[in-house]
Amino acid sequence: MHKYNDIIGKRIKELRELSDISTEELSSELNMDEETYIKYEKGEKDIPASLIYEIAGVFNVDMGLLLNGEESRMSIFDLTRSGEGVKVNRRSEYTYENLCKKFIHKKAEMFIVTVNPKENPTPSFNKHPGQEFNYILQGSMKLFIHNNEITLNEGDCVFFDSTHKHAMIALNNETAKFLAVLM
């Protein structure tokens, strides 16, 4: 597993312990089995960005605290220069770049997500509270959501209820990139 998993897991554990919440209580709040949650916390399993977002919501902290260990401080604007977002390599299928790391009390999280092509890809489903907006910046991908398969090409966008299981795969053996906004 990645060292990054260990770091985020330790931050989540520390926050959970400071909040005097058991692993059983938190896993129940997140609608997952306790064993899986403990693997995330120990860094033994890749934590999806959507789950980090959900955990941040449970503890009422900005996602940036869990990703980079820094409290968000900006209240008027937060500028992220090209290529300077916080990279989050959560799963082998996706690479995330958090575009807004220091703005306090955000109402959404913004990422550039890169989906790498794979031979005979199997969608890796996840779900999280809220809604999600995806705008395709490069390439083509297939979105799987609620018994639907939607092909999206550069310039296309989709808005959906992210409480439904969803996954993306790159098409045409090319990398796909999209702007994801989680609300």
Side-chain angles (χ1 to χ4, degrees), residues 92-139:
S92 61
E93 300 93 338
Y94 312 122
T95 302
Y96 300 85
E97 181 181 359
N98 187 327
L99 298 177
C100 185
K101 56 187 176 186
K102 294 183 181 174
F103 197 87
I104 194 165
H105 306 302
K106 292 185 293 268
K107 297 186 186 332
E109 290 288 344
M110 286 70 57
F111 298 91
I112 296 293
V113 181
T114 302
V115 184
N116 296 313
K118 290 191 167 194
E119 273 189 50
N120 304 315
T122 302
S124 178
F125 287 89
N126 73 82
K127 64 181 183 172
H128 49 88
Q131 300 170 333
E132 186 168 331
F133 171 80
N134 297 159
Y135 178 83
I136 311 308
L137 300 167
Q138 172 188 325

Side-chain angles (χ1 to χ4, degrees), residues 14 17-18 28 46-48 58 65-68 79-81 106 108 120 131 136 159-161 167 170:
E14 181 179 18
E17 289 175 344
L18 287 170
S28 176
D46 285 338
I47 306 172
V58 168
L65 178 66
L66 299 176
L67 292 176
N68 61 26
L79 173 65
T80 302
R81 298 281 184 196
K106 292 185 293 268
N120 304 315
Q131 300 170 333
I136 311 308
F159 192 97
F160 58 92
D161 178 345

Side-chain angles (χ1 to χ4, degrees), residues 3 5 16 18 24 27 34 62 64 68 72 80 88 105 108 115 118 130 132 134 140 151-152 156-157 168:
K3 181 180 177 186
N5 289 329
R16 180 184 56 76
L18 287 170
E24 181 181 12
S27 61
E34 186 178 13
D62 288 317
N68 61 26
S72 299
T80 302
V88 185
H105 306 302
V115 184
K118 290 191 167 194
E132 186 168 331
N134 297 159
S140 298
T151 298
L152 300 162
D156 292 345
C157 62
M168 295 86 169

